Amino acid sequence: MRYVQLRAFHHVAVHGGFSRAAAALGLTQPALSDQVRKLEAEYELRLFDRGQKQVRLTPAGEQLLEITHRLFETEQLALDLLSEAQAPRSGRLNIIADSAHHMLHVLGPFRAAYPAIFVSVTAGNSQQVIEALYRYDADIGVVGQIPERSDYQVVKLSSTPIIAFAAEGHPAVTCQGLTLAELADQPLVLRESGSKTRAKIEEAARRQAIDIEPAIEAEGREAVREIVAAGGGIGVVSEAEFGADKRLRKIPIIGCEITMDEAIICLRERRDSKLIRAFMTMAAGASEGFAEGLAEEVAS
C-alpha cells in the first residue's frame, strides 16, 4: 500500500468520481484509476461499485474513507503547525447550517480576513448538520440546540423563544397568543422530522399530554414560510429566524417557555485545523456583540 494509492482512493470517494478527483489532484483520469485499481488488487478488495454514470463506495470503501478522512486531516494539521505563522492563503471551508441567518455576522469578517478561502454553505436540519460533521462532509455546523456530548467545540450564538406565525389576515394573528392546546387545534405546517424546532414543540406538547400533528410537512424553513404565507396553515420558528416578511405575522406561544439555543459547532478532534480554528475564533469574538444586539432587537 502506497501513500499515492490512498490519496487517489480518498479523492475519488470525496469528489464522487474519477474525473473530478483527477482534476482536483492535477492528474489524468487513467493515472488515478490505475492507482485505485492497484490498491484494490493488492488487497483483493473492491472499494468502489463502478456504474455507467457514477461510482459508489462499497461497505469496505466506506470504512476505509472514515480512516483516510482522519489520515489526511492529520496531514493537514501537520502542515498547519509547520506554517503556523502564515495566515491561510488558500483552501475550502464547508459549512452546513440549519439557518444561515445565525452566522451572517461571522461570514463577512471571515471573508474580509481570509479572502482567498472558498466558503461553501449548505442547508440542513440539526440532525443533518451533526451527520455531515461526523462524515467530514462539513467543517462547521450551525444547530438549533447546543449538543450535550463533549465531542464538539461550541460557540453559543443566541437563545430566543419559539413562536408561531401565520399569514397576514389569518384569524389567529388578532389574538394575544396561542397555548399549545390551541395551537394543536390549528392546521400546522411543520418541518421534516430531524428539525430541532419541530422536536422542541412536540416535546413541550407531550409534557402537557397534547398531540401535535402537522397538516402539512415540508422540507426546509423556506418551504414552510411560503406555504404559511399562501394560507396553508400556521408555522413555528425561533423568533430570531422570523425575519421581516410583510406577508406574515408573529403569534406568541403562551403558557410555556420554549427556547432555541443556536450555536456554531465543530468536532473537537478537528478544532486545531487552521481554517476551522480561525472561523471558530472569529465566531467567538463576533458572537458576543451579536447576542447583545439580538437581545435588544427581540425585546423591541
Side-chain angles (χ1 to χ4, degrees):
M1 176 179 64
R2 298 176 181 273
Y3 171 86
V4 292
Q5 294 170 352
L6 281 179
R7 186 183 66 164
F9 159 80
H10 179 79
H11 279 77
V12 172
V14 168
H15 291 283
F18 285 88
S19 59
R20 287 191 293 271
L25 290 172
L27 301 173
T28 64
Q29 184 172 333
L32 192 70
S33 299
D34 185 57
Q35 294 295 345
V36 174
R37 182 187 59 77
K38 288 179 178 178
L39 182 63
E40 291 178 315
E42 182 175 353
Y43 293 96
E44 299 181 354
L45 191 64
R46 194 175 77 256
L47 299 172
F48 295 103
D49 286 325
R50 295 161 172 82
Q52 291 183 342
K53 294 185 178 180
Q54 61 182 351
V55 296
R56 295 182 180 275
L57 286 166
T58 64
E62 290 176 353
Q63 290 181 310
L64 182 59
L65 180 60
E66 291 181 8
I67 295 171
T68 59
H69 267 312
R70 286 163 174 77
L71 171 66
F72 290 105
E73 180 77 11
T74 301
E75 179 185 64
Q76 186 60 51
L77 289 176
L79 290 173
D80 289 347
L81 176 65
L82 293 171
S83 59
E84 188 67 36
Q86 298 176 334
R89 295 174 180 170
S90 63
R92 177 187 179 108
L93 188 71
N94 296 313
I95 302 172
I96 180 169
D98 67 351
S99 176
H101 165 85
H102 294 287
M103 61 169 184
L104 296 181
H105 65 295
V106 185
L107 276 180
F110 183 81
R111 287 288 303 134
Y114 304 103
I117 303 304
F118 177 80
V119 179
S120 168
V121 181
T122 57
N125 61 44
S126 292
Q127 179 180 330
Q128 292 166 336
V129 170
I130 296 298
E131 291 172 353
L133 289 176
Y134 277 113
R135 290 196 308 267
Y136 280 44
D137 290 342
D139 307 305
I140 301 290
V142 182
V143 291
Q145 182 173 346
I146 297 175
E148 295 180 357
R149 296 174 58 177
S150 60
D151 299 20
Y152 311 98
Q153 181 178 352
V154 176
V155 174
K156 184 177 178 180
L157 296 175
S158 63
S159 181
T160 55
I162 292 177
I163 60 169
F165 66 99
E168 182 71 46
H170 190 286
V173 303
T174 61
C175 66
Q176 296 299 311
L178 293 173
T179 66
L180 282 175
E182 292 168 334
L183 192 63
D185 288 336
Q186 298 285 336
L188 297 178
V189 184
L190 299 181
R191 288 188 62 184
E192 72 284 357
S193 296
S195 160
K196 192 57 64 176
T197 307
R198 174 173 174 174
K200 280 183 168 283
I201 284 287
E202 291 174 336
E203 180 184 349
R206 281 194 298 271
R207 289 198 296 266
Q208 296 186 26
I210 298 169
D211 291 328
I212 292 280
E213 293 291 340
I216 300 176
E217 182 178 280
E219 184 171 354
R221 186 172 289 102
E222 290 308 311
V224 170
R225 179 181 292 271
E226 291 304 314
I227 292 169
V228 171
I234 294 179
V236 294
V237 69
S238 77
E239 190 164 13
E241 296 168 356
F242 180 72
D245 190 327
K246 294 181 179 180
R247 302 173 301 168
L248 303 172
R249 291 279 300 276
K250 299 179 186 179
I251 306 171
I253 298 175
I254 58 178
C256 64
E257 184 178 353
I258 314 171
T259 59
M260 291 286 285
D261 296 320
E262 292 287 342
I264 294 177
I265 65 173
C266 70
L267 288 180
R268 190 172 291 276
E269 67 186 47
R270 301 189 65 199
R271 62 183 173 178
D272 289 331
S273 165
K274 182 175 285 189
L275 283 181
I276 294 174
R277 185 173 69 246
F279 191 88
M280 294 296 284
T281 300
M282 191 163 290
S287 294
E288 183 175 350
F290 169 73
E292 293 174 357
L294 180 62
E296 294 174 1
E297 178 183 331
V298 170
S300 63

